[in-house]
């Protein structure tokens, strides 16, 4: 597992932690997140994911103050990087077809007659 890419090591640790938690082994789930596999993770996104899962395990163990501190250290969720445009294809609005660049109404009239 040490030869895996950083993202895969984090995913493996999170899955192992969740499996332990599902078995009621919350302490072992926490230890899975503190293993050598993820000790050297540098990607901020992956560190954040680990911190949030670690906070869940701490909360399951009743260590609520530590869980809240872990969530606070993880910071807010990053904002979206690009705008999302929603188009309703069932709308009643007619949308004129796009004209090729460089054409105007006079040119368009000639093309329609041809």
């Amino acid at each position: 597992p040490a030869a895996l890419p950083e993202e895969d090591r984090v995913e493996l640790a999170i899955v192992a932690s969740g499996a332990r938690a599902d078995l009621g082994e919350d302490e072992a789930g926490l230890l899975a997140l503190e293993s050598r596999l993820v000790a050297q993770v540098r990607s901020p996104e992956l560190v954040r994911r680990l911190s949030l899962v670690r906070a869940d395990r701490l909360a399951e163990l009743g260590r609520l103050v530590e869980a809240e501190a872990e969530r606070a250290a993880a910071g807010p969720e990053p904002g979206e990087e690009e705008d999302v445009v929603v188009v309703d294809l069932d709308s009643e609005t007619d949308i004129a077809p796009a004209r090729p660049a460089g054409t105007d109404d006079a040119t368009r009239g000639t093309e329609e007659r041809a």
Side-chain angles (χ1 to χ4, degrees), residues 3 7 9 23 32 34-35 53 55 60 62 65 67-69 71-72 74 81 84 86-87 91 95 99 104-105 108 110:
E7 188 172 300
R9 287 184 286 136
L23 293 171
E34 297 171 352
S35 71
V53 175
E60 291 162 357
V65 173
E68 281 307 310
R71 283 191 184 92
E81 294 180 13
V84 175
V86 178
V87 177
S91 72
I95 300 174
R99 289 186 242 160
D104 58 10
D105 289 333
R108 196 172 113 222
T110 352

Side-chain angles (χ1 to χ4, degrees), residues 2 4 6-7 15 28 32 41 46 56 64 71-72 75-76 95 97-98 102 111:
L4 291 172
E6 188 174 76
E7 188 172 300
V15 169
V41 172
L46 296 176
D56 291 344
L64 302 179
R71 283 191 184 92
I95 300 174
E111 291 172 356

Side-chain angles (χ1 to χ4, degrees), residues 85-99:
V85 177
V86 178
V87 177
D88 183 4
L89 298 177
D90 292 329
S91 72
E92 299 288 326
T93 307
D94 290 331
I95 300 174
R99 289 186 242 160

Side-chain angles (χ1 to χ4, degrees), residues 15-76:
V15 169
S17 176
R20 292 296 192 154
D22 288 348
L23 293 171
E25 301 172 359
D26 296 320
E27 191 67 42
L30 183 59
L31 290 174
L33 298 170
E34 297 171 352
S35 71
R36 290 183 307 142
L37 283 177
V38 292
Q40 302 300 319
V41 172
R42 299 288 179 241
S43 165
E45 177 186 328
L46 296 176
V47 169
R48 184 176 189 285
R49 286 186 64 207
L50 285 168
S51 294
L52 293 174
V53 175
R54 187 177 294 116
D56 291 344
R57 295 294 95 77
L58 288 167
E60 291 162 357
L61 289 166
R63 296 161 59 178
L64 302 179
V65 173
E66 290 174 85
E68 281 307 310
E70 193 73 35
R71 283 191 184 92

